[in-house]
Amino acid sequence: MKDGDWRRLVAHVPAALAAVLGTALAIGGCLAVRSAEYDRTRIKAQSLAADRSGTIRREFTEAVARVHALQAFFEASEEITSREFARFLTTSVPASDHDTFFWWPEAGQRAKASHVYPRNGYGIDMEAVRRRDDVVAAMLRARTQHDVVAVGTKGGKRILLLAGSPGGYVGVALLTESVVERAIAYLAPGGMDISVVEPGKRGDDRLLYFHSSRAGGRRREPQSAPAMRFTESLDIAGHKLRLVADTAPHFVESGYSNAGWAILVAGLLSTVACTWWLQDRRGYAARIEQLVERRTRELADARDEALRASKLKSQFLANVSHEIRTPLNGVVGMAEFLLETPLGVQQREFATTIRDSSHALLAIVSDLLDMSRIETGKLVLAREPLDVRHTATVAVAGLQAAARSKGLQLTTEFGSEVPQRVLGDAVRLQQVLVNLLHNAIKFTEAGTVGLRVSLEREASAGPLLRFEVRDTGPGVKPEARELIFRRFVQADGTHARQHGGLGLGLAISRQIVERMHGKLDVESQPGQGSTFWFTALFGRCAEESASPVPEAPPKQEDVLSGPVILLAEDNAVNRKVAAHMLTKLGYAFQVANNGREALEMSEQRAFAAILMDCQMPVVDGFAATAEIRGREGSTRHTPIIALTANAMNGDREHCLAMGMDDYLPKPLEIAMLSAVLQRWTGRIKPGSV
């Protein structure tokens, strides 16, 4: 049997147990009620049998008492005539159609009774008595015992009660049937058959009388197997009889009610209902299980689809980043170089607009990439020594021109308790500060924008710093204070809004601040300006050093004697930008148009460093790097610096894993290029940029 079959079989066990248990309880309850009703019926029948036995016993006892009275009458008189005999019985004994009182002379003198009452009663003829010996023996016992003695005659149908008297015996002849019927006539019909039995000496009992409980009729003999039978002994002046009371079938049936059957039916119905409910619950559970299984599969499919969509989105953003950053590298670079040449007023304005627009487009691309990193949980903060004051000052300095163009005063204030250096991510801290300061300048038309840095408290992990950006702008409405921290939401989302933007800056800033174990919020009243503040937890830094001071550009003689850099770049515009930067920094360089040329040129001579574009025709940068590393072995190592427009999270790690030594994203910044080349060549110091 398979596991599934076993599980289905086990699933039916509760319903089966409920059916068996419910049926057993229903039958047990029915039997218990029926048993209790049977016991009550038996007690009632026993009581009825005792009542009938007692009534019959009283009838015979009264007859014995009459014999005693008649005996006393004879003993008190010398001679009694038949008329006196009858007169005495008429006044002292109730008339009866069935009882005959008599006086019998001594046994040897006369064979018939002398006095008989009533006159129409049956006489006692000794010659006609079938059990004559028994009668004679009873007479002798009566004389000897001086008491009443009973004896049966004529097959037991009659009972003689005898007592000794002067010159003979007095007694009464009782018809057994009449005595019993006279006794039970006083009782209400009880649904019982009454039998009077004379026990035989050899176990051959003789039925003297039988009364049927059936209305209007008699049966000739008792039931062979009655439902209930009760036996009572009757002692009539020493003559033993037995009363047998058998319950009629309808008497037993009348003792039962419908309660037992009702309990049985109710129990069976309850069992059926419970079994059905359990089966339904089992079916419901099976349906729920199937539903859960289906929903689980759907969720798994949706998860897989979401992962595929996320992967496609990441790939799309990487492609967008590469395709946008590649031309932006040329636009930004050439705009910067153009501004360094002699220009007219209008020409310089045009070049400045090109540069600023390029930086704005680059900021939008960076925000989209940052949001993608945050959604995928791949935004990782660095933990390096940073100068808080220097980082904040640089952020403010970069926006001074924008503030001056609007006539705003941009101020900076540091609390005395703010530590000089801490452990954290300077780039992300500066990103948040620039975003808040840029928003404040953008929305403030007049007045001041100020940055204040203070120590919130000293935590066990390090200092918790508080940064506040205050402005004198229009303020933020209460209903918009939380909305502005959502993605793609602005306080003024109408088509007539004055300021552009994607609405990602504050959402990204809040996510970065939360990863710094801090909080970003706003305090504002409409018309009274705003204060955007955030806290950030930094690590303690043991080293204290001054802020880096930009150094002077290299001298021409240093360029002539400096190391040679190999620039591998397939895009002509990007080659011009990189070549101009290298020239400005004072580095000699040679150019390779693709990866194959880079391999050939690196094989012909040694270079101080190689600036390797990752995506090139013929042989890409990764394959060229692998080939160079394979040729060099362990005897030589040429620094290879990746140049790529891919700025997604993990691109840097991928480049390093492929054998490259460093990573520069496009658009290139001359300061970053200078720092990286200085790090790997170690001879020429970068110029002030």
Side-chain angles (χ1 to χ4, degrees), residues 50 195 319 334 415 517 519:
S195 303
N319 293 336
M334 290 304 176
H517 306 287
K519 180 181 180 182

Side-chain angles (χ1 to χ4, degrees), residues 20 51 109 123 279 297-298 434 453 465 490 496 527 538 559 627:
V20 173
D51 290 343
Q109 298 175 1
Q279 286 293 92
R297 288 196 303 269
E298 292 175 355
V434 168
V453 185
L465 301 184
Q490 293 182 331
F538 297 93
V559 174
E627 179 66 23

Side-chain angles (χ1 to χ4, degrees), residues 485-508:
F485 292 102
R486 297 182 182 178
R487 293 179 295 173
F488 308 109
V489 176
Q490 293 182 331
D492 181 10
T494 64
H495 292 291
R497 68 177 188 264
Q498 298 179 357
H499 308 285
L502 291 178
L504 286 175
L506 289 177
I508 294 173

Side-chain angles (χ1 to χ4, degrees), residues 257-268:
S257 67
N258 293 326
W261 299 116
I263 290 176
L264 178 62
V265 172
L268 292 177

Side-chain angles (χ1 to χ4, degrees), residues 266-463:
L268 292 177
L269 290 177
S270 300
T271 301
V272 171
C274 181
T275 305
W276 175 85
W277 184 82
L278 288 174
Q279 286 293 92
D280 182 69
R281 290 296 91 187
R282 188 192 66 81
Y284 178 76
R287 291 193 296 272
I288 291 296
E289 184 177 353
Q290 293 174 357
L291 179 60
V292 170
E293 184 178 354
R294 185 173 70 252
R295 292 291 174 84
T296 301
R297 288 196 303 269
E298 292 175 355
L299 289 175
D301 294 340
R303 179 201 61 197
D304 296 340
E305 184 64 26
L307 291 175
R308 286 192 295 269
S310 177
K311 185 176 181 180
L312 290 175
K313 183 183 71 173
S314 299
Q315 186 62 43
F316 172 75
L317 288 175
N319 293 336
V320 168
S321 172
H322 182 272
E323 296 303 324
I324 293 179
R325 284 174 177 269
T326 297
L328 269 181
N329 183 50
V331 175
V332 173
M334 290 304 176
E336 293 287 352
F337 298 151
L338 182 60
L339 288 171
E340 294 176 0
T341 63
L343 298 173
V345 176
Q346 190 177 30
Q347 293 172 329
R348 183 168 294 279
E349 181 181 353
F350 291 163
T352 302
T353 301
I354 294 173
R355 181 195 63 186
D356 294 343
S357 299
S358 301
H359 281 296
L361 180 58
L362 182 60
I364 292 174
V365 174
S366 299
D367 284 347
L368 290 173
L369 294 177
D370 284 341
M371 184 54 64
S372 177
R373 294 189 187 101
I374 291 171
E375 288 180 347
T376 56
K378 295 180 179 179
L379 181 64
V380 180
L381 300 183
R383 190 172 177 82
E384 301 172 345
L386 66 93
D387 189 321
V388 177
R389 288 179 172 81
H390 175 71
T391 302
T393 301
V394 170
V396 172
L399 296 171
Q400 283 288 0
R404 285 195 300 269
S405 67
K406 298 185 66 174
L408 302 177
Q409 183 180 1
L410 188 57
T411 63
T412 307
E413 179 185 353
F414 296 96
S416 58
E417 69 279 6
V418 176
Q420 183 71 23
R421 291 175 65 81
V422 294
L423 292 178
D425 193 323
V427 175
R428 294 302 178 184
L429 175 60
Q430 185 173 343
Q431 179 180 351
V432 176
L433 291 174
V434 168
N435 180 268
L436 297 181
L437 289 168
H438 180 267
N439 286 345
I441 294 171
K442 180 169 64 174
F443 290 99
T444 302
E445 299 300 330
T448 61
V449 174
L451 170 63
R452 185 177 186 278
V453 185
S454 61
L455 177 65
E456 180 81 4
R457 61 184 174 87
E458 280 286 351
S460 59

